[in-house]
Amino acid sequence: MFNRKNRTEIQHFVVTAKQMQAIETRLFDAGMPVAALMEKVAGRITQRILSKIESIPVTSIGVIVGPGHNGGDALVVARELHFLGYSLVVYCPFSKQKELTQSHLKYITSLGILINLNIESLQNCDVIIDGMFGFGLERPITDELAEAVNQINAWKKRVLSIDLPSGIHTDTGEVLGTAINATDTFCLGLWKLAFLQDSALDYLGNVELIDFDIPLADIQAILGKNPEFRRITKENAIADLPLPRPLTSHKYKNGNLLIVAGSHRYTGAAILAGLGARASGVGMLSIAVPKSIKPLLSSQLPEALIVGCPETEDGAILDFPSHFSLDQFDAIACGPGLTQSASTIVQMILDGNQPLILDADGLNILAQLDPISTLSQRQAATVITPHPGEFKRLFPDLVEELKNRILVTQKAAQQSQSIVLLKGARVCIGTENTVWMNPESTPALARGGSGDVLTGLLGGLLAAVVLNQTPIDAIVKTAVWWHAQAGIKAAKDKTELGVDAFTLTQYLNLLQLGLNSNNHN
């Protein structure tokens, strides 16, 4: 068991509805009274709500009460807010409730708070607390309830949802008929999968976890010591960075990376990948490009060894120079800006034995080569970084399951025996046994070139850790977190309308200074 000082570990866990139910059952079987837990949770929710509304004028607070314990939580919150002097309007459209929820409803009534059956009763409230449905909802919201939810959304008021916005599926994040569009969501106990699914993001608003002190032993009893789903945090993201370095270090001890990228048409992709690798701190960087664009790369990356390659008629890499060996490199990053004319070189790299990052046109070429068989037969580790469109071409049999990005990423990793980094607003990293999910990013990264930067950063980190045998998935999560945090900081300093990829590389370098400082303290 761990105390309040090290409860940060709770942020790493992510659960399904079934797992959360099993954990709560353990608590109740051990003797924790359901009523006592509800009081504790609702007390903490109340404190968070007060912190959200203390700076805004609030005359009346509306409370939506569901039939289950989520509704019970909302009623306890309503009771506490009433005692603090707030005017409450309670809307409960359900004729039956769980026993404990019914008791709280009875007590609320005894305080003189009316229970309303009409959604219009909430129209004049300044803030609405959504306690209709929590985790575990499976059926769509329909009929009068759907009309009520849509009416609340149309009012565009501040809505604070308890555990999940009502109508959101706990695991997939999909909308079940319709869903509350929350301003803030208080996730209870442990993070649910929905908070890491792109499909739920427009409904969650600002999110935070309300920890109610679930013992670690109870969590591990259900999830195991190596949970299937894990959330990336700063602590686990930087834990495997190859820093600090020993005094006797030299460039070849810090990784030797080859980037294969670029074409006459897409010169910038190779430059951006190189700048991403530069930020990683990789010891030695080589970049293979068509011979005609070699001078442009040399001017932007003077420390890199630029390898000019024979090229096709349309300016793509045709082959490597004679006497050039892939065996000298610790890792290869391949794909940005290649065009599909570079199929011969991609096949050659896939046939090699170096740890490999495959992106962009590297993936488009792979899609034509029986991807699952090709990846499964590789002897070295492979990381593929598709966006959803590329994913569909690589794994056509999984297209129908893409609504659950987390599960489908894991399935793709298991089928291909590779690490699958599925891009999106919430990046998922799938391995055979674990899915890592990045909870923070910014729409400012939705600009051309940011993926090329990530490929370079990832390649540099991979080359640097191959020598010390750090688990490769650990470095993939590091790169994803680092890339996202640089984008977030750049967006704050610049604008969320977009952070150009070159600026992003500069922020990777700025963030690197802080990472060095953290590791040395």
Side-chain angles (χ1 to χ4, degrees):
M1 190 177 294
F2 44 93
N3 59 31
R4 299 300 304 172
K5 290 184 179 180
N6 55 14
R7 289 297 289 184
T8 54
E9 186 170 354
I10 211 80
Q11 294 283 347
H12 302 178
F13 298 111
V14 186
V15 293
T16 64
K18 185 177 179 180
Q19 289 168 337
M20 190 67 205
Q21 185 177 37
I23 290 169
E24 288 192 348
T25 298
R26 280 184 62 88
L27 298 180
F28 301 144
D29 289 347
M32 166 63 79
V34 178
L37 184 60
M38 184 177 287
E39 290 288 335
K40 179 175 188 175
V41 171
R44 293 188 177 179
I45 295 171
T46 303
Q47 292 303 311
R48 295 308 304 142
I49 289 175
L50 290 172
S51 72
K52 298 286 184 182
I53 67 175
E54 62 185 358
S55 61
I56 60 176
V58 176
T59 303
S60 179
I61 298 175
V63 182
I64 308 171
V65 176
H69 287 165
N70 194 257
D73 292 336
L75 287 167
V76 177
V77 170
R79 182 196 72 202
E80 294 303 297
L81 292 173
H82 169 76
F83 288 144
L84 290 170
Y86 287 96
S87 174
L88 273 296
V89 179
V90 174
Y91 165 65
C92 182
F94 301 93
S95 58
K96 294 182 179 180
Q97 299 86 28
K98 283 190 174 182
E99 182 179 359
L100 184 56
T101 302
Q102 193 173 53
S103 295
H104 285 299
L105 196 62
K106 180 180 178 181
Y107 185 61
I108 279 283
T109 304
S110 77
L111 297 175
I113 299 173
L114 295 178
I115 308 303
N116 297 276
L117 301 178
N118 193 330
I119 187 62
E120 277 71 26
S121 62
L122 303 182
Q123 187 167 6
N124 295 322
C125 294
D126 303 298
V127 174
I128 295 175
I129 298 169
D130 165 30
M132 190 184 300
F133 299 114
F135 79 86
L137 182 67
E138 295 284 347
R139 292 179 297 179
I141 296 178
T142 59
D143 303 326
E144 291 84 359
L145 283 182
E147 291 178 14
V149 168
N150 294 337
Q151 186 64 67
I152 292 166
N153 290 340
W155 290 334
K156 299 188 181 302
K157 294 180 181 291
R158 183 157 200 171
V159 180
L160 310 174
S161 285
I162 296 174
D163 209 15
L164 277 165
S166 294
I168 296 295
H169 191 284
T170 311
D171 297 345
T172 67
E174 67 181 310
V175 175
L176 297 172
T178 188
I180 291 286
N181 199 331
T183 314
D184 301 86
T185 302
F186 305 114
C187 182
L188 305 182
L190 296 168
W191 290 108
K192 317 302 188 298
L193 285 176
F195 287 85
L196 287 306
Q197 298 275 23
D198 284 10
S199 54
L201 294 185
D202 287 339
Y203 296 85
L204 296 171
N206 300 310
V207 302
E208 58 183 286
L209 183 70
I210 297 205
D211 177 13
F212 55 78
D213 305 309
I214 303 173
L216 179 60
D218 290 307
I219 298 172
Q220 291 182 336
I222 301 302
L223 305 186
K225 294 199 174 181
N226 295 298
E228 184 178 8
F229 305 115
R230 302 204 65 180
R231 189 171 174 271
I232 300 175
T233 65
K234 179 178 180 179
E235 290 75 22
N236 60 42
I238 68 175
D240 296 293
L241 278 173
L243 299 169
R245 290 173 174 169
L247 294 176
T248 57
S249 183
H250 58 75
K251 61 186 177 184
Y252 289 110
K253 279 188 176 182
N254 297 323
N256 187 3
L257 172 66
L258 172 66
I259 295 177
V260 183
S263 59
H264 185 74
R265 184 178 181 183
Y266 299 115
T267 302
I271 294 172
L272 292 169
L275 292 172
R278 171 194 278 175
S280 75
V282 68
M284 188 65 191
L285 173 61
S286 298
I287 308 177
V289 296
K291 187 180 297 183
S292 62
I293 67 170
K294 177 179 177 178
L296 295 172
L297 271 291
S298 296
S299 65
Q300 295 292 326
L301 293 148
E303 77 279 17
L305 174 62
I306 310 301
V307 181
C309 300
E311 54 189 272
T312 64
E313 290 184 3
D314 56 355
I317 299 176
L318 175 64
D319 198 355
F320 289 119
S322 58
H323 309 299
F324 183 84
S325 173
L326 297 177
D327 294 337
Q328 63 186 298
F329 300 103
D330 297 315
I332 299 173
C334 173
L338 281 181
T339 78
Q340 294 190 51
S341 297
S343 57
T344 300
I345 208 78
V346 172
Q347 180 70 71
M348 190 182 305
I349 291 169
L350 285 165
D351 291 340
N353 293 317
Q354 290 73 33
L356 172 64
I357 313 295
L358 202 62
D359 182 37
D361 282 320
L363 297 176
N364 292 327
I365 293 169
L366 172 64
Q368 303 169 23
L369 301 175
D370 189 356
I372 293 176
S373 176
T374 300
L375 293 172
S376 300
Q377 292 174 18
R378 293 204 80 238
Q379 298 302 305
T382 310
V383 182
I384 60 173
T385 62
H387 56 58
E390 292 163 342
F391 186 95
K392 292 175 182 178
R393 292 191 285 274
L394 293 169
F395 303 99
D397 293 343
L398 297 178
V399 168
E400 295 301 318
E401 300 181 51
L402 260 176
K403 65 180 181 180
N404 188 338
R405 289 168 46 86
I406 296 168
L407 183 61
V408 82
T409 303
Q410 185 178 46
K411 285 188 175 182
Q414 291 169 342
Q415 288 183 8
S416 63
Q417 297 179 38
S418 59
I419 297 173
V420 179
L421 188 162
L422 180 58
K423 294 174 180 174
R426 294 292 178 264
V427 171
C428 299
I429 304 164
T431 68
E432 184 176 0
N433 299 312
T434 306
V435 181
W436 288 93
M437 294 153 282
N438 188 35
E440 296 182 328
S441 191
T442 170
L445 288 174
R447 287 188 65 173
S450 63
D452 303 328
V453 174
L454 176 60
T455 297
L457 176 67
L458 182 53
L461 290 174
L462 177 59
V465 302
V466 164
L467 299 178
N468 62 22
Q469 299 182 329
T470 297
I472 291 176
D473 63 316
I475 286 306
V476 177
K477 75 175 187 299
T478 298
V480 167
W481 177 85
W482 189 348
H483 181 264
Q485 292 298 315
I488 290 169
K489 179 164 178 51
K492 287 179 179 177
D493 291 349
K494 304 288 184 179
T495 170
E496 283 209 352
L497 291 177
V499 175
D500 67 89
F502 180 76
T503 298
L504 178 63
T505 66
Q506 296 174 314
Y507 275 82
L508 288 176
N509 288 316
L510 288 173
L511 194 59
Q512 184 189 54
L513 297 175
L515 295 176
N516 271 284
S517 175
N518 287 338
N519 273 270
H520 284 287
N521 284 340

